[in-house]
């Protein structure tokens, strides 16, 4: 790691660990190593790990751990942190995805924000191969990137209370698919029929850090035949 990590306060229950200033695939082994070490060291006091391509947000239980104690733990981890040599190119996954406004209600929003046609948004998103940089937020939720810079679009101002399982989305220069129904504020483009999280599967998650992913555009008929739910996203008042 060429630069010294910087810790930034994220309130009484969190610290942002900034390892890098620029986005690069070479960051992945270091961020992966930091995530694993935090899980080991913090144990039950860890609430969440929220990765980006240059930082890791460590959220802890403020009732059992003070902010200063958490900072000291992170600093100790950083003293002898080594890159995760287990992060490889990984398996290649093709996720069948039905892009449609009924299941991807933010397609028009992304198109309007980027100045592109909806069909061009779909093409740009589905023609790229993405790398899984981290798992987090929810079981099986894989942060992937980087999307075509033309598609960069901010999160929704108000997150949805419920995003259906399989929803394919983007935010900033990241993309992901929601493995289960959860709240979420990313821009929904469509839905995949792939089962991303399965308790009967070894490791539960279909995707692992280092894997490569393509969202393959399919018809509604193919999507439903492969087990996808075409129930429209409920619009919130």
């Amino acid at each position: 790691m060429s630069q010294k990590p910087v810790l930034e306060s994220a309130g009484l229950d969190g610290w942002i660990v900034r390892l890098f200033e620029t986005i690069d695939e070479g960051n992945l082994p270091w961020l992966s190593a930091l995530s694993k070490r935090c899980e080991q060291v913090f144990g039950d006091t860890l609430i969440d790990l929220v990765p980006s391509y240059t930082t890791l947000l460590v959220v802890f239980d403020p009732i059992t751990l003070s902010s200063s104690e958490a900072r000291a733990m992170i600093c100790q981890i950083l003293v002898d942190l080594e890159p995760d040599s287990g992060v490889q190119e990984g398996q290649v996954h093709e996720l069948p995805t039905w892009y449609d406004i009924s299941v991807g209600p933010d397609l028009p929003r992304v198109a309007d924000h980027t100045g592109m046609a909806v069909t061009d948004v779909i093409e740009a998103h589905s023609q790229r191969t993405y790398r899984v940089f981290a798992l987090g937020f929810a079981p099986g939720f894989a942060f992937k990137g980087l999307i075509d810079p033309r598609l960069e679009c901010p999160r929704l101002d108000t997150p949805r209370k419920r995003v259906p399982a399989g929803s394919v989305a983007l935010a900033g220069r990241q993309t992901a698919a929601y493995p289960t129904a959860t709240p979420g504020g990313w821009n929904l483009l469509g839905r995949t029929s792939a089962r991303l999280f399965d308790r009967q599967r070894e490791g539960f998650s279909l995707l692992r850090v280092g894997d490569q992913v393509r969202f393959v555009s399919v018809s509604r008929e193919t999507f439903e035949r492969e087990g996808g739910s075409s129930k429209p996203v409920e619009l919130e008042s």
Side-chain angles (χ1 to χ4, degrees), residues 27-77:
N27 301 353
L28 179 58
W30 292 97
L31 290 163
S32 174
L34 180 58
S35 295
K36 291 180 179 179
R37 288 291 303 280
C38 284
E39 289 178 350
Q40 295 169 356
V41 173
F42 279 80
D44 293 340
T45 65
L46 184 68
I47 300 298
D48 199 6
L49 293 170
V50 183
S52 77
Y53 299 107
T54 58
T55 66
L56 179 72
L57 170 61
V58 182
V59 182
F60 54 89
D61 182 357
I63 296 177
T64 57
L65 201 65
S66 70
S67 181
S68 60
E69 288 173 330
R71 188 182 192 283
M73 291 164 69
I74 296 171
C75 288
Q76 187 58 46
I77 291 172

Side-chain angles (χ1 to χ4, degrees), residues 82-208:
E82 295 290 337
D84 182 2
S85 59
V87 178
Q88 305 295 330
E89 286 303 310
Q91 187 175 348
V92 177
H93 302 267
E94 293 191 345
L95 306 184
T97 303
W98 177 40
Y99 293 91
D100 188 82
I101 293 176
S102 64
V103 292
D106 299 316
L107 275 169
R109 177 178 187 267
V110 174
D112 182 65
H113 180 81
T114 60
M116 300 169 67
V118 167
T119 54
D120 292 333
V121 169
I122 294 171
E123 181 178 5
H125 185 265
S126 62
Q127 293 302 309
R128 205 174 185 93
T129 299
Y130 304 100
R131 183 83 177 271
V132 177
F133 280 81
L135 298 175
F137 169 63
F141 190 99
F143 292 84
K144 296 178 281 292
L146 297 169
I147 66 171
D148 187 319
R150 295 177 300 162
L151 294 179
E152 186 170 349
C153 188
R155 290 173 170 81
L156 305 180
D157 292 334
T158 304
R160 291 185 171 88
K161 296 178 181 177
R162 184 181 185 278
V163 174
S167 293
V168 173
L170 64 80
R173 291 203 62 194
Q174 302 176 93
T175 188
Y178 287 76
T180 55
T182 62
W186 289 31
N187 300 279
L188 306 186
L189 307 182
R191 193 175 295 169
T192 179
S193 57
R195 194 174 183 85
L196 301 167
F197 181 77
D198 186 349
R199 294 189 181 279
Q200 304 304 314
R201 178 192 293 128
E202 182 180 357
F204 302 149
S205 177
L206 173 65
L207 306 176
R208 299 177 184 275

